[in-house]
Amino acid sequence: MVRCFLIHTVCPVSALPAGESRLLYSRMFGPDEAVLTDQHRELSPEENRLLRKEKLAVVARQVRSVVSLTREAAGRVLVDVVPGEEALALQEADSGVMRLRAGDPFCEEASAVWLAVHSLAFTLVCEPHENLLLAEGSLRSLSRHCLEHLHLLGQGSEVLLKSSRVDVLLSRLLPHGQLLFLNHRFAQSLEKEVAGYMSK
């Protein structure tokens, strides 16, 4: 099962200190037991929300750090993406998996599958026993739909204003945080359904 899905920045943002990542979108799946320890269960709902937000920000910072190191080691230089070339940017995207130890930031161990497309990263945090190849395929599909239909790499793109559309994508491609094994026909049917909704 997937614990959460994140869209965040991986390149410097002028309003943030160096090394920080801006969390643009997040969605948690399942109960909060993996996030909250016994000492945190007594917190108010607002304090719980802030604690979850901080834990997701920790994941975003860790992914940003790994992406920066990967790009630096490969000697890759980012070039601006021309609108309409989202598919090309996705093909050239960096991707990887990292292990999140128990207590850093969640109570239980987890795996983070990430895909960095230009200045954005899409991250799935999964349970440690989850099929990581299936998670990567689902993440690529989600990110492709986000990039193609929501134009997230364009100038002035506001993910925050498009969160309802991201929610719909997640409900179709990752229902209740469950990774789907898709055969070819079902995948085509799902693609048509998503494309039909996104064209509205």
Side-chain angles (χ1 to χ4, degrees):
M1 179 165 178
V2 173
R3 292 187 185 167
C4 62
F5 171 71
L6 309 173
I7 301 175
H8 54 93
T9 60
V10 290
C11 289
V13 177
S14 59
L16 297 175
E20 286 294 312
S21 179
R22 175 172 283 162
L23 194 58
L24 302 174
Y25 176 88
S26 66
R27 170 97 179 263
M28 300 276 300
F29 298 100
D32 291 339
E33 282 80 31
V35 177
L36 303 175
T37 60
D38 291 333
Q39 66 186 17
H40 295 130
R41 296 197 197 285
E42 304 300 321
L43 298 176
S44 70
E46 179 63 18
E47 291 169 327
N48 280 337
R49 186 187 70 76
L50 291 173
L51 179 66
R52 279 193 304 272
K53 185 177 177 181
E54 178 53 35
K55 288 184 182 279
L56 295 177
V58 168
V59 173
R61 283 193 298 270
Q62 289 177 351
V63 170
R64 181 196 184 285
S65 176
V66 171
V67 170
S68 297
L69 289 172
T70 302
R71 287 178 173 171
E72 191 174 311
R76 296 188 70 182
V77 178
L78 289 180
V79 293
D80 288 337
V81 176
V82 178
E85 291 189 1
E86 288 87 1
L88 180 61
L90 188 60
Q91 287 177 354
E92 296 174 353
D94 299 304
S95 64
V97 177
M98 58 186 263
R99 183 173 152 237
L100 302 172
R101 294 176 293 150
D104 186 29
F106 302 109
C107 298
E108 300 169 358
E109 185 178 317
S111 299
V113 181
W114 55 269
L115 182 69
V117 183
H118 194 56
S119 60
L120 291 179
F122 300 87
T123 305
L124 283 179
V125 177
C126 308
E127 293 181 358
H129 63 273
E130 197 61 72
N131 182 335
L132 296 178
L133 286 175
L134 183 59
E136 183 183 2
S138 297
L139 183 60
R140 284 192 178 275
S141 180
L142 272 168
S143 56
R144 180 175 53 82
H145 284 294
C146 285
L147 293 172
E148 286 177 1
H149 298 294
L150 305 179
H151 308 291
L152 298 183
L153 296 179
Q155 290 290 336
S157 176
E158 286 292 329
V159 177
L160 302 175
L161 299 176
K162 300 173 181 177
S163 63
S164 61
R165 290 185 175 253
V166 177
D167 285 337
V168 168
L169 280 174
L170 287 172
S171 70
R172 299 290 195 277
L173 301 173
L174 206 63
H176 305 291
Q178 295 294 322
L179 294 171
L180 300 176
F181 285 98
L182 303 176
N183 66 27
H184 186 66
R185 282 191 178 172
F186 186 69
Q188 282 183 331
S189 168
L190 202 55
E191 294 281 333
K192 286 180 184 176
E193 184 181 341
V194 167
Y197 177 80
M198 291 299 172
S199 64
K200 291 180 183 178

